[in-house]
């Protein structure tokens, strides 16, 4: 039955407002007078009254008052760091940011090597007048900065920089978004804003970049059997998941019923009361509730099932896009937000299974492995084009989808993926490194973290922990993905914790029914949005090809729904992120 056609008009989208978080201004700051939490001649910390964080959680000054720190910080090795400082962890009443302030006073920038967890950190050296911007190794937290003008602005949320940037789009970032459904690398969709990359620290005023951690293939125990590697993984997973559990509280897990989220659920349930959360899209659509319910029953969790309607998918998209930094065209964005809102009723911390595919060899790598096996001779593609096509988004449509002016400007611009794709590492590890460095940091982690934060939850991804990522690059490739056997080392590591139906089921992925959505429910609204001559995307995209997609002309592979969702997400993101 069709839902009543609601109006997704300009007012509805524009009325979606999200509170700003902290900002830092560096350079000329004497004109800044409102919401200033701390300042000196070249540096000011601005925390709006509308910020939902308490300022003390994110702000710290070193004991000798030389260093001023602000950032979004969560440390899983807090106790170890306090012991190194000579402080009894059980007596510590301060914040994680204050822990870093004490370590920074001793070690300076080298402190970053000791931190395990999530952080996007700004450090101001009052004595030397030097500014440091640092980000955690895997990119669990974000950090953005403007690139022009006498005042540089820095924030953990891209939307907080809206008053301080132009509305000019970065056309290369737009090209990459259309290929991947996210913006990879240091670029953002705004031309004058860049992102600090994971594992790096940028210093001002000299604009030097220091890489304190780099993802590298370092295979250990090449002659050891699968069981040896799975035992190492099992030990580490226990350590990481248990560190992530909130003390004396229940914990939530987003449970799809796949291997990854089921593994996290099983390990968490050994020590904590667990609430699990699963979704489905109604009787018209297939679902995985059989498997998620089996895991919930096996692990004795309190299981919650959320049905998401097509109307909810559409109506909640503007709010969802407002909470994201760069646009993300993944249809799971809205379900992630709605599930987080449900979880917030029961828990304060929620875990997920994100990271299993990038770290342990999911099946999405198989098309690229086949392409490499045949040495590109069968399909006549270079490795970069094959990689972009593997995303199954708009890579092959770009010459027709982009206007002639935009396509001419971006066609020959280099890709951020090129260096990793052509490194000397094992080919599977090259693909996994790409997925960890870009899809992980720029899509998966920012999506989950932003949308759980929007629901006032703390979202954590144990399988993307930096230690798990490092270990994954030590495991021989044949124990990750070999032929049709995927994630063998992870399956072996948790084989005794889960029902055999979960261990041996093929990977299916959470399929959001956007193809059906546009065919049956959203087509009229999508036409009004995407084919409007005043659409935000109109200067960049040819609406004629979008019209064909909306009419499903030539949709041989049933991919138009995914492409339309990507475009609708972009259009709405641009509208809710207009300059003020």
């Amino acid at each position: 039955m069709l839902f009543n056609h609601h109006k997704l008009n300009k007012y509805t989208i524009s009325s979606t407002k999200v509170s700003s978080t902290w900002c830092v201004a560096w350079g000329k700051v004497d004109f800044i007078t409102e919401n200033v939490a701390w300042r000196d001649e070249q540096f000011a910390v601005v925390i709006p009254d509308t910020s939902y964080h308490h300022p003390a959680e994110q702000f710290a000054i070193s004991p000798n008052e030389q260093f001023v720190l602000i950032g979004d910080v969560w440390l899983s090795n807090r106790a170890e760091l306090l012991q190194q400082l000579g402080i009894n962890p059980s007596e510590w009443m301060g914040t994680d940011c204050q822990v870093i302030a004490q370590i920074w006073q001793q070690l300076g920038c080298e402190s970053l090597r000791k931190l395990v967890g999530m952080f996007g950190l700004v450090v101001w050296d009052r004595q030397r007048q030097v500014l440091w911007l640092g980000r955690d190794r895997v990119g669990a937290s974000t950090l953005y900065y403007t690139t022009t003008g006498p005042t540089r602005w820095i924030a953990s949320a891209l939307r907080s920089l809206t008053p301080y940037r132009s509305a000019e789009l970065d056309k290369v970032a737009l090209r990459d978004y259309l290929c991947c459904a996210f913006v990879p690398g240091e670029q953002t969709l705004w031309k004058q804003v860049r992102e600090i990359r994971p594992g790096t620290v940028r210093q001002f005023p000299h604009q030097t970049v220091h890489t304190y951690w780099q993802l590298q293939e370092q295979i250990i125990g090449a002659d050891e059997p699968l069981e040896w590697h799975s035992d190492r993984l099992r030990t580490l997973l226990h350590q990481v998941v248990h560190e992530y559990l909130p003390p004396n509280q229940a914990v939530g897990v987003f449970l799809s019923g796949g291997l990854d989220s089921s593994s996290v659920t099983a390990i968490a349930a050994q020590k904590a009361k667990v609430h699990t959360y699963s979704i489905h899209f109604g009787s018209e659509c297939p679902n995985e509730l059989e498997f998620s319910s089996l895991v919930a029953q096996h692990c004795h969790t309190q299981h919650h099932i959320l049905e998401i309607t097509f109307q909810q998918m559409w109506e909640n998209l503007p709010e969802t896009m407002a909470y994201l930094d760069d646009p993300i065209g993944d249809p799971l964005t809205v379900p992630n937000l709605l599930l987080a809102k449900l979880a917030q009723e029961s828990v304060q911390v929620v875990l997920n299974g994100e990271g299993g595919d990038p770290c342990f060899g999911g099946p999405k790598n198989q098309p690229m492995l086949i392409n490499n096996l045949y040495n590109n001779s069968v399909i006549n593609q270079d490795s970069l084009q094959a990689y972009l096509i593997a995303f199954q988004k708009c890579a092959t449509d770009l010459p027709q989808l982009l206007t002639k002016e935009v396509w001419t400007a971006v066609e020959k611009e280099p890709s951020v993926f090129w260096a990793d794709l052509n490194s000397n590492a094992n080919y599977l590890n090259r693909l996994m490194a790409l997925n960890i460095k870009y899809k992980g940091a720029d899509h998966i982690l920012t999506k989950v973290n932003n949308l759980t934060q929007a629901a006032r939850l703390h979202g954590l991804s144990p399988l993307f922990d930096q230690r798990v990522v490092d270990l994954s690059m030590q495991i021989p490739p044949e124990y990750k993905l070999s032929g049709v056997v995927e994630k063998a080392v992870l399956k072996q590591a948790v084989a005794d914790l889960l029902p055999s139906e979960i261990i041996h089921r093929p990977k299916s992925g959470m399929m959001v029914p956007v193809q059906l959505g546009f065919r049956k429910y959203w087509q009229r609204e999508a036409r009004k949005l995407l084919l409007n001559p005043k659409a935000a995307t109109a200067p960049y995209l040819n609406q004629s090809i979008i019209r064909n997609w909306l009419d499903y002309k030539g949709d041989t592979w049933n991919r138009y729904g995914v492409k339309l969702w990507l475009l609708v997400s972009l259009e709405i993101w641009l509208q809710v992120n207009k300059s003020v």
Side-chain angles (χ1 to χ4, degrees):
M1 179 176 174
L2 293 178
F3 63 77
N4 293 329
H5 286 287
H6 52 281
K7 293 182 179 179
L8 189 67
N9 55 28
K10 182 177 180 181
Y11 174 77
T12 302
I13 295 175
S14 299
S15 64
T16 303
K17 300 296 182 182
V18 177
S19 299
S20 295
T21 58
W22 60 266
C23 276
V24 164
W26 172 76
K28 181 178 175 57
V29 300
D30 58 315
F31 66 95
I32 304 170
T33 58
E34 295 184 1
N35 300 317
V36 177
W38 194 94
R39 72 183 311 151
D40 68 8
E41 293 181 357
Q42 295 187 64
F43 181 84
V45 176
V46 179
I47 303 179
D49 292 336
T50 56
S51 176
Y52 59 82
H53 285 290
H54 190 281
E57 297 175 358
Q58 301 166 304
F59 182 77
I61 299 177
S62 63
N64 66 358
E65 300 187 350
Q66 180 180 348
F67 302 103
V68 178
L69 288 79
I70 185 166
D72 296 335
V73 179
W74 177 82
L75 300 175
S76 63
N77 68 332
R78 180 189 313 108
E80 177 186 341
L81 295 172
L82 288 169
Q83 290 172 349
Q84 293 176 11
L85 290 168
I87 300 172
N88 186 338
S90 63
E91 297 176 357
W92 175 252
M93 301 298 292
T95 65
D96 286 355
C97 202
Q98 290 170 332
V99 174
I100 299 177
Q102 296 205 30
I103 298 173
W104 199 281
Q105 178 175 305
Q106 295 181 4
L107 302 176
C109 186
E110 288 298 308
S111 304
L112 298 176
R113 299 183 186 276
K114 291 187 169 291
L115 307 182
V116 179
M118 306 163 53
F119 57 88
L121 191 66
V122 179
V123 181
W124 174 240
D125 186 334
R126 300 173 63 191
Q127 180 178 317
R128 297 171 54 210
Q129 299 286 284
V130 171
L131 182 68
W132 302 90
L133 310 181
R135 190 175 175 196
D136 65 70
R137 291 165 174 82
V138 296
S141 293
T142 50
L143 196 61
Y144 302 93
Y145 64 98
T146 59
T147 59
T148 60
T151 306
R152 302 296 178 88
W153 292 88
I154 304 107
S156 61
L158 188 55
R159 62 182 177 270
S160 298
L161 299 180
T162 299
Y164 316 115
R165 58 156 177 80
S166 77
E168 185 177 1
L169 295 193
D170 186 308
K171 294 182 177 65
V172 174
L174 174 63
R175 176 201 69 182
D176 293 347
Y177 169 82
L178 294 172
C179 291
C180 310
F182 63 93
V183 179
E186 69 174 1
Q187 292 170 305
T188 73
L189 209 57
W190 305 118
K191 191 169 185 178
Q192 296 177 357
V193 183
R194 290 292 179 264
E195 181 182 37
I196 299 297
R197 295 308 298 158
T200 66
V201 58
R202 179 177 286 269
Q203 184 224 1
F204 293 88
H206 301 298
Q207 294 272 21
T208 57
V209 178
H210 171 60
T211 300
Y212 70 89
W213 177 85
Q214 195 164 5
L215 184 65
Q216 292 181 329
E217 177 185 73
Q218 295 179 320
I219 295 175
I220 294 176
D223 297 328
E224 298 290 349
L226 173 64
E227 290 74 16
W228 187 84
H229 293 280
S230 66
D231 287 346
R232 295 180 71 224
L233 176 58
R234 171 71 169 264
T235 300
L236 181 59
L237 289 179
H238 272 270
Q239 177 187 347
V240 170
V241 172
H242 292 166
E243 284 180 2
Y244 282 21
L245 298 177
N248 305 315
Q249 295 180 33
V251 66
V253 183
F254 291 161
L255 176 63
S256 69
L259 176 67
D260 306 331
S261 60
S262 299
S263 300
V264 173
T265 299
I267 296 173
Q270 293 177 329
K271 288 195 67 175
K273 179 181 178 181
V274 177
H275 291 257
T276 46
Y277 304 89
S278 301
I279 61 173
H280 70 103
F281 298 96
S283 58
E284 289 183 279
C285 308
N287 61 65
E288 297 184 295
L289 294 182
E290 171 190 355
F291 299 104
S292 61
S293 298
L294 175 63
V295 174
Q297 182 179 10
H298 181 81
C299 298
H300 306 289
T301 72
Q302 187 166 337
H303 196 41
H304 309 259
I305 297 174
L306 176 66
E307 178 179 347
I308 299 175
T309 67
F310 288 94
Q311 182 169 347
Q312 288 174 313
M313 281 288 291
W314 191 268
E315 288 181 338
N316 285 277
L317 187 55
E319 180 188 6
T320 304
M321 289 297 110
Y323 285 121
L324 295 175
D325 290 312
D326 271 318
I328 294 175
D330 177 359
L332 276 170
T333 52
V334 173
N336 282 154
L337 178 61
L338 296 180
L339 203 60
K341 289 182 176 182
L342 173 63
Q344 195 271 339
E345 298 174 4
S346 306
V347 298
Q348 295 178 337
V349 176
V350 64
L351 311 181
N352 60 72
E354 302 286 7
D357 282 354
C359 289
F360 301 109
K364 289 185 178 180
N365 293 295
Q366 287 173 341
M368 287 294 293
L369 292 172
I370 293 171
N371 179 68
N372 184 64
L373 176 66
Y374 288 99
N375 198 28
N376 308 319
S377 60
V378 175
I379 54 179
N380 194 29
Q381 293 173 345
D382 63 35
S383 58
L384 176 60
Q385 184 68 4
Y387 182 71
L388 295 176
I389 291 174
F391 281 99
Q392 297 186 328
K393 299 302 186 293
C394 299
T396 58
D397 305 303
L398 292 182
Q400 295 79 38
L401 180 59
L402 293 170
T403 64
K404 183 177 180 180
E405 177 187 359
V406 175
W407 176 240
T408 300
V410 304
E411 179 182 8
K412 296 183 180 179
E413 288 294 319
S415 171
V416 69
F417 301 128
W418 180 257
D420 287 288
L421 198 54
N422 292 277
S423 74
N424 294 322
N426 171 274
Y427 193 69
L428 175 60
N429 281 343
R430 282 187 247 171
L431 298 177
M432 292 175 58
L434 281 166
N435 291 335
I436 292 168
K437 290 173 63 174
Y438 299 107
K439 189 172 183 180
D442 300 321
H443 172 191
I444 296 172
L445 290 173
T446 186
K447 176 192 68 172
V448 172
N449 293 335
N450 282 21
L451 297 178
T452 51
Q453 287 176 16
R456 306 295 192 266
L457 274 178
H458 186 35
L460 295 170
S461 305
L463 300 184
F464 254 131
D465 184 277
Q466 64 189 57
R467 295 161 292 184
V468 176
V469 169
D470 279 333
L471 180 63
S472 75
M473 284 293 153
Q474 298 173 2
I475 298 171
E478 61 268 24
Y479 293 147
K480 291 183 280 192
L481 178 62
S482 179
V484 297
V485 180
E486 64 205 41
K487 293 186 277 195
V489 67
L490 179 58
K491 290 178 177 179
Q492 178 69 27
V494 298
D496 63 324
L497 298 179
L498 293 168
S500 60
E501 297 94 324
I502 302 300
I503 297 295
H504 299 297
R505 66 171 292 209
K507 172 76 175 182
S508 61
M510 177 58 67
M511 301 302 294
V512 184
V514 291
Q515 186 82 354
L516 176 62
F518 283 104
R519 275 191 176 274
K520 189 173 180 180
Y521 297 103
W522 307 325
Q523 193 176 71
R524 184 185 303 179
E525 287 79 6
R527 284 183 185 278
K528 293 177 182 177
L529 191 70
L530 297 176
L531 301 183
N532 188 329
K534 295 183 179 180
T537 51
Y540 308 96
L541 305 181
N542 287 318
Q543 292 186 340
S544 59
I545 189 173
I546 300 173
R547 185 175 290 107
N548 289 338
W549 291 354
L550 285 163
D551 291 335
Y552 284 86
K553 291 182 177 179
D555 189 15
T556 306
W557 303 105
N558 292 323
R559 297 298 304 172
Y560 284 4
V562 170
K563 296 178 182 182
L564 289 169
W565 184 267
L566 181 148
L567 296 182
V568 165
S569 298
L570 174 63
E571 175 65 31
I572 293 178
W573 185 90
L574 287 170
Q575 292 196 31
V576 299
N577 283 281
K578 287 180 179 178
S579 296
V580 295

